[in-house]
Amino acid sequence: MTRHSTVGEVMTCDVVTVRPDTPFKEITALLSTHDISAVPVADERGAPMGLVSEADLLRRQAEQPDQYGGQPTPPGWPHEKAKARAENAAGLMTTPVVTAHPDWPVAQAARTMDHHRVRRLLVVDEADRIVGIVSRADLLRIFLRPDEEIREEIRDDVLKGILRLSGTEVQVQVHDGVVTLRGEVENRSTAQIAERLAKGVDGVVTVRPMIDYAVDDVAA
């Protein structure tokens, strides 16, 4: 059986958080000290209330006139105007927060980020307490997986383990995460399943199926 990386395996566990009353300047210092681009706002239980990012902090700077007399950028919506004048995390934070759970597959987290158009997800436990944070960069780390490791998983777990194929029916080649499947099987459905399962293996960029078949058992 193939195994997929989970959010819990790629997330950052040592999460820096702030309280709603944390001042603007303290948040700025935390981002600089820890070399991070955003910080979660948590309540007394450790549950997420919002997220303050560099973009939230920069709204104040954008509203200030420059030394050459340039006019500030006018805030758009009322909530943006309020953020530009906020003094603490409660006023600066973006809500609602998009969350994930440690046992989510990386692919599910990626789909959630894409759907909500966010750069990061707060990871919470069953009690809704923050236990980690996962970014786009964290999710992309699975594509650093070595080609040989990907090839072995497809050969041993997918072709032999799940599809019960011998090592001679389908050969696997992997180069820079691109998988090529070559060979011949009995049924067209087997070839399609092999392609689909190979695409789901961690680190695979794409699959090039070149599998012939003797019987088209998928035809309408």
Side-chain angles (χ1 to χ4, degrees):
M1 181 67 67
T2 58
R3 177 186 173 280
H4 300 295
S5 296
T6 64
V7 168
E9 293 172 326
V10 300
M11 71 182 186
T12 298
C13 298
D14 187 16
V15 183
V16 178
T17 63
V18 297
R19 296 291 299 277
D21 59 353
T22 303
F24 181 103
K25 291 193 70 172
E26 185 176 335
I27 297 171
T28 304
L30 284 171
L31 295 185
S32 176
T33 300
H34 295 277
D35 193 23
I36 53 179
S37 59
V39 62
V41 184
D43 64 15
E44 295 179 354
R45 298 187 304 107
M49 299 176 64
L51 191 74
V52 179
S53 69
E54 291 173 330
D56 296 320
L57 297 171
L58 283 172
R59 283 193 176 93
R60 175 181 289 274
Q61 189 67 21
E63 197 185 40
Q64 305 301 318
D66 62 39
Q67 59 180 325
Y68 302 106
Q71 294 302 307
T73 302
W77 299 98
H79 72 278
E80 293 178 340
K81 184 175 182 179
K83 279 189 177 186
R85 298 175 180 175
E87 298 179 355
N88 56 31
L92 291 162
M93 67 184 183
T94 296
T95 59
V97 184
V98 184
T99 61
H101 290 278
D103 59 350
W104 278 17
V106 164
Q108 183 177 353
R111 287 193 296 269
T112 301
M113 279 190 190
D114 184 63
H115 176 74
H116 291 280
R117 300 183 182 278
V118 295
R119 297 176 181 272
R120 58 191 68 80
L121 301 173
L122 295 184
V123 186
V124 297
D125 61 16
E126 294 180 354
D128 198 37
R129 294 183 297 251
I130 299 171
V131 295
I133 188 168
V134 64
S135 68
R136 291 174 176 175
D138 295 326
L139 300 185
L140 288 172
R141 283 209 301 268
I142 65 170
F143 292 105
L144 299 177
R145 192 179 187 194
D147 288 342
E148 182 58 25
E149 191 174 304
I150 296 171
R151 190 184 75 83
E152 289 177 356
E153 181 172 341
I154 294 174
R155 182 195 64 196
D156 298 338
D157 295 351
V158 173
L159 300 179
K160 293 182 180 180
I162 297 177
L163 297 178
R164 303 299 180 184
L165 298 175
S166 68
T168 60
E169 291 168 290
V170 178
Q171 290 76 49
V172 184
Q173 294 178 324
V174 184
H175 180 68
D176 290 340
V178 177
V179 177
T180 302
L181 301 176
R182 286 189 175 91
E184 184 173 353
V185 295
E186 180 67 22
N187 299 317
R188 181 183 179 186
S189 60
T190 302
Q192 291 179 337
I193 293 170
E195 178 186 358
R196 185 172 68 250
L197 292 177
K199 285 180 178 178
V201 170
D202 283 352
V204 171
V205 175
T206 190
V207 175
R208 296 173 178 170
M210 300 181 181
I211 305 176
D212 295 325
Y213 50 86
V215 178
D216 187 354
D217 59 339
V218 182

